[in-house]
Amino acid sequence: MHKEIWVFAEACNNSIERVSLELLGEVRRLSKNGAPTAAVLIGAGISPSLRQTLSQYGAQKIYIVDHEKLLYYQSEIYTHILTQLVRQKKPQIILLGATPNGNDMASRVAARLRVGFVSNCTDLKLNDEGRLVLWKAIRGGKSQAAFMTVGSPQIATVCPDVIGLEKVVPLQTVPVEHLDISWDKNMEKAEVIEFFKGNPATIDITEAEIIVAGGRGVGGVEKWPLIEGLADVIGGAVAGSRMAKDLGCISRDRLVGQTGKNVRPKLYMALGISGASHHVNGLKEAEKVVVINKDRHAPFIKKADLAVIADLQELLPVFKETVTEYFTGGHFSK
Amino acid sequence: MTRKLKILVSISQIVYSEYSLEPQMGRACKKKNLLVKRFNLADRCALEEALKIKKEINNVEISAALLGPPEMEWILRACLGFGVDKAIHFIINPAEYYDAHNIALALSQYISDQGFDLIFCSYQDVNSNFQVGPAGSILAELLQYPYLSEVASLKIDPDNESLTVKRKLTKGNRLKVNTPLPAVLSASTVLNEPRYISLHRQKKPAETTITRIAVNKEELQGRYYPAQLTELVAVSPFRPRPKQIPLAGGSLTVQERLDFIIFGGSTVKEKSRLLEGNVKELSNELLNYMIQENFL
Ligand SMILES: Cc1cc2nc3c(=O)[nH]c(=O)nc-3n(C[C@H](O)[C@H](O)[C@H](O)COP(=O)(O)OP(=O)(O)OC[C@H]3O[C@@H](n4cnc5c(N)ncnc54)[C@H](O)[C@@H]3O)c2cc1C
């Protein structure tokens, strides 16, 4: 019987971090030799929908530790819980997302168990002996190095968005094991005071998942509220091209491109931007790019996943209204 | 009078590979690969924060510790020039591979002897050299101190006994946490704008003596077996993982299909979808797309 491969399912605000779901897909591929895939979920008031999501993405078993004190990540307590679980269940591999909390916990658990750990991996393969070969970028991303860990379990964190999501499997009931793990009061050294939800309108564009970027084609400062209004309804951060900056529509820290910032959102909407290489260089890592431009020969059109040929002044007010209607539950014809 | 606050900023050197272009007589420039060693940005932010604390609070002593080969000592000279009180150089052999566990072990002995209250130990990012690792959390584990990573803002409480930080999480979220001292922190690069290190600062001889401690891997291994918990097995130019697409589409050319077979996925971006029409239809299409792709 093969030992389990675990994915630590990081939950925040009642949703699972996307990278954890990517990892479940990866484990499905890795465990072709028959090792069962289990997800570990730690939190407070864990809803059944999270369990469903995990099973749809490939978890064959779910371990849950649910306690009111576990609403937010606390290094010592979470480390203690995961270490106890590992000692009880003895998995062969544990994968976590390379998020601030994922990296933090993985390295601490590995240190406590005196086993190796590799962070921020960009690729992973299982060799014939069942050992993971873990690749990560080094030297400013120009080279990569492969590592193997010492001891068992093998622990690694994997960067978000390098694997991609697998197709979901049909909903099925998977065994769920609730575990009761207690901890010492003096482990609660750090105390969480408050959680601040990131406001897309104010967060740094490098952290934004959706970016609405405008260029000269928007029509200057007077027309800029069109961009801000759209960003507001779809929950995106506002950014822009050099021309938008020069026209005074955005500040320097919202400029995308070679002299601005490199962004990696899930959706980048480029509105009235021609697609000069200086600009496009800053969004190489964007997952999907939607371009709206009135010129069908603009260079950006070829680089887009979806290109819409339209005049912004006409399209944006209607599109904003359509999205607002969709959110308020109004009629929407597919 | 509040008690003395001892801060340690542990600095890692980062190795980048860059090109330099050498002009050639009558020919195109020759490209030469260079390995450039730099002061890690997160560590510069940590140093800046330590200096800020020193300015705001009386009775603060800052030490800077560098783990690196002898030629990286300019980093410590620059730190001393900025107002750091003590500098410690843990000299390592650049030809050897040190993992995060090795580094944390080397630092932990010194830290527990000196009794620091606040230790900044950076987290590595994609720019890191393979010698650097998540040493901060391992260090915290070895010392049994609280650890807070990705610190985006920091405030020492008036009694110098605890501190409140905001941690940077994903999606712009922040978590405000209070922790007693001593503690280990890793600075995020949004913590502050670190000061510029001029060439003059790099070259200036240090007025304060730098303490040098040679790190011996065999000795570490002998004392804390196993001291090294990862093995470096290969180094190669960066090749991003190809995106997984289950089948080679019939629309691909022969070359693209060959690439597909060799690299295990499509190497070309799918063709853009182009939409034209009246604005109402376009809005609905755009909305459909955003719903399908789970953006709304
Ligand atoms: C060294 C250097 C560094 C640079 N760095 C950067 C950088 O970091 N970031 C950056 O962005 N730029 C940078 N630039 C500038 C860059 O080359 C381009 O000039 C700039 O990106 C163009 O901005 P734009 O696309 O908004 O404007 P334009 O190129 O003028 O494009 C405007 C677009 O809007 C469309 N349009 C006009 N009206 C409408 C309408 N009503 N509806 C729909 N579409 C419309 C037009 O068809 C056109 O395609 C740099 C340049 C240099 C030389």
Side-chain angles (χ1 to χ4, degrees):
Chain A
M1 174 74 185
H2 286 284
K3 286 185 186 169
E4 288 169 341
I5 302 183
W6 283 8
V7 170
F8 177 73
E10 193 175 331
C12 182
N13 262 345
N14 215 14
S15 76
I16 305 279
E17 287 279 354
R18 191 187 143 106
V19 59
S20 307
L21 303 178
E22 290 182 55
L23 285 174
L24 282 171
E26 182 68 5
V27 170
R28 264 200 278 170
R29 267 191 296 275
L30 285 178
S31 63
K32 289 253 159 66
N33 61 359
T37 309
V40 179
L41 196 51
I42 302 177
I46 293 167
S47 77
S49 68
L50 295 190
R51 281 184 253 159
Q52 270 176 16
T53 311
L54 291 174
S55 74
Q56 278 183 306
Y57 280 90
Q60 293 160 332
K61 185 167 194 179
I62 304 173
Y63 294 111
I64 293 184
V65 182
D66 194 334
H67 190 284
E68 56 178 12
K69 285 242 162 114
L70 299 173
L71 185 57
Y72 298 116
Y73 175 77
Q74 287 177 62
S75 182
E76 274 99 342
I77 302 174
Y78 270 58
T79 304
H80 169 76
I81 291 172
L82 192 59
T83 318
Q84 291 302 318
L85 283 182
V86 172
R87 286 189 176 134
Q88 276 180 30
K89 307 283 176 190
K90 304 199 171 19
Q92 54 165 319
I93 293 170
I94 310 174
L95 298 178
L96 302 91
T99 59
N101 292 345
N103 274 332
D104 180 353
M105 179 159 64
S107 50
R108 222 170 157 152
V109 168
R112 193 162 294 180
L113 296 168
R114 296 295 294 271
V115 296
F117 157 67
V118 180
S119 65
N120 296 22
C121 298
T122 51
D123 203 357
L124 53 160
K125 304 228 159 58
L126 208 55
N127 71 10
D128 296 340
E129 288 99 56
R131 303 299 299 176
L132 277 177
V133 180
L134 300 151
W135 288 90
K136 68 182 276 187
I138 57 164
R139 296 178 186 156
K142 292 219 174 76
S143 313
Q144 59 182 8
F147 299 86
M148 282 165 80
T149 62
V150 172
S152 180
Q154 306 171 69
I155 305 181
T157 61
V158 180
C159 289
D161 301 327
V162 295
I163 296 171
L165 281 181
E166 280 276 310
K167 282 209 177 75
V168 292
V169 295
L171 195 59
Q172 51 194 336
T173 9
V174 295
V176 176
E177 198 174 327
H178 285 267
L179 294 139
D180 192 13
I181 292 178
S182 56
W183 59 86
D184 218 49
K185 195 94 182 88
N186 65 18
M187 263 180 213
E188 297 170 18
K189 284 182 191 153
E191 182 200 353
V192 174
I193 300 173
E194 205 174 346
F195 174 79
F196 299 91
K197 178 127 186 57
N199 175 359
T202 52
I203 61 172
D204 193 282
I205 54 171
T206 53
E207 292 181 57
E209 292 208 310
I210 297 181
I211 294 182
V212 182
R216 180 158 42 193
V218 177
V221 182
E222 302 91 74
K223 297 282 164 55
W224 198 253
L226 281 175
I227 299 286
E228 290 167 339
L230 178 62
D232 189 36
V233 289
I234 66 171
V238 174
S241 70
R242 167 86 159 266
M243 287 303 158
K245 190 210 143 245
D246 290 351
L247 291 169
C249 304
I250 52 160
S251 54
R252 179 93 178 58
D253 62 338
R254 305 245 138 205
L255 169 65
V256 174
Q258 195 173 306
T259 44
K261 288 186 174 165
N262 288 342
V263 293
R264 49 193 318 239
K266 295 208 161 64
L267 172 67
Y268 188 84
M269 291 188 85
L271 315 181
I273 302 180
S274 58
S277 60
H278 299 114
H279 180 80
V280 179
N281 274 344
L283 48 114
K284 277 191 207 142
E285 290 181 67
E287 227 166 86
K288 293 279 178 211
V289 178
V290 171
V291 170
I292 306 179
N293 200 308
K294 68 176 183 186
D295 174 11
R296 63 175 5 253
H297 301 292
F300 225 150
I301 301 286
K302 280 201 184 124
K303 295 184 176 115
D305 294 285
L306 179 71
V308 182
I309 311 298
D311 190 315
L312 284 172
Q313 324 295 344
E314 292 168 17
L315 179 66
L316 284 193
V318 181
F319 180 54
K320 190 179 154 192
E321 208 174 292
T322 317
V323 179
T324 317
E325 258 177 45
Y326 168 75
F327 280 130
T328 49
H331 175 69
F332 169 62
S333 55
K334 280 208 168 185
Chain B
M1 170 138 161
T2 49
R3 71 186 183 92
K4 184 172 183 176
L5 192 72
K6 287 177 84 177
I7 303 179
L8 176 77
V9 183
S10 154
I11 296 163
S12 46
Q13 41 121 19
I14 296 290
V15 181
Y16 287 86
S17 66
E18 287 185 354
Y19 309 121
S20 81
L21 294 176
E22 280 182 7
Q24 303 276 298
M25 281 295 277
R27 276 190 285 147
C29 287
K30 196 171 142 198
K31 215 160 124 186
K32 207 175 133 196
N33 268 329
L34 280 181
L35 284 186
V36 185
K37 297 199 175 93
R38 293 221 194 112
F39 192 162
N40 184 18
L41 179 60
D43 293 334
R44 282 174 58 199
C45 294
L47 177 70
E48 189 64 46
E49 200 61 25
L51 294 167
K52 217 171 94 191
I53 296 171
K54 192 176 174 182
K55 220 166 142 189
E56 282 165 10
I57 308 175
N58 291 329
N59 217 2
V60 173
E61 183 190 276
I62 307 177
S63 304
L66 170 76
L67 244 137
E71 69 266 23
M72 297 307 291
E73 209 160 272
W74 64 264
I75 293 182
L76 289 177
R77 286 198 299 273
C79 292
L80 288 168
F82 289 145
V84 162
D85 303 290
K86 285 182 183 164
I88 311 102
H89 188 173
F90 290 89
I91 301 169
I92 56 171
N93 176 358
E96 271 182 325
Y97 163 62
Y98 288 81
D99 72 0
H101 197 253
N102 281 149
I103 292 172
L105 282 174
L107 287 174
S108 66
Q109 188 62 50
Y110 181 80
I111 293 172
S112 49
D113 290 350
Q114 298 290 318
F116 291 102
D117 300 295
L118 187 57
I119 300 125
F120 285 100
C121 191
S122 90
Y123 207 84
Q124 89 295 2
D125 53 19
V126 75
N127 292 328
S128 64
N129 171 15
F130 44 80
Q131 288 169 333
V132 193
S137 56
I138 301 177
L139 188 64
E141 182 58 32
L142 295 173
L143 297 165
Q144 288 299 306
Y145 287 176
Y147 173 66
L148 299 169
S149 63
E150 293 285 337
V151 172
S153 74
L154 179 161
K155 199 168 175 351
I156 306 272
D157 297 342
D159 53 3
N160 279 5
E161 299 286 349
S162 58
L163 86 165
T164 306
V165 305
K166 266 194 199 160
R167 290 186 58 219
K168 178 181 164 218
L169 305 181
T170 52
K171 300 174 197 160
N173 297 335
R174 299 282 185 269
L175 193 66
K176 193 171 177 183
V177 185
N178 181 277
T179 187
L181 293 173
V184 182
L185 310 182
S186 82
S188 103
T189 47
V190 299
L191 181 58
N192 52 43
E193 189 72 40
R195 62 192 68 189
Y196 176 71
I197 307 172
S198 65
L199 201 60
H200 165 73
R201 278 252 185 271
Q202 295 183 26
K203 301 277 177 229
K204 205 175 151 215
E207 277 146 28
T208 320
T209 45
I210 296 173
T211 313
R212 295 185 183 86
I213 301 172
V215 180
N216 186 329
K217 245 179 101 171
E218 262 89 68
E219 197 198 310
L220 278 180
Q221 191 78 355
R223 221 166 355 134
Y224 309 94
Y225 184 81
Q228 185 166 307
L229 296 172
T230 56
E231 266 172 63
L232 174 67
V233 282
V235 178
S236 69
F238 187 65
R239 250 182 62 187
R241 178 184 165 125
K243 286 268 180 235
Q244 296 292 335
I245 302 172
L247 277 172
S251 62
L252 299 181
T253 64
V254 175
Q255 183 60 50
E256 286 164 359
R257 275 169 175 254
L258 275 175
D259 286 352
F260 189 99
I261 294 160
I262 295 165
F263 298 114
S266 178
T267 52
V268 285
K269 200 171 168 66
E270 279 177 62
K271 292 233 157 36
S272 343
R273 236 177 89 203
L274 199 83
L275 298 180
E276 274 175 298
N278 78 43
V279 277
K280 189 67 202 158
E281 276 168 21
L282 288 177
S283 306
N284 284 346
E285 285 268 2
L286 204 50
L287 181 61
N288 272 335
Y289 175 81
M290 293 182 67
I291 295 166
Q292 266 167 22
E293 297 284 342
N294 283 333
F295 294 130
L296 292 183

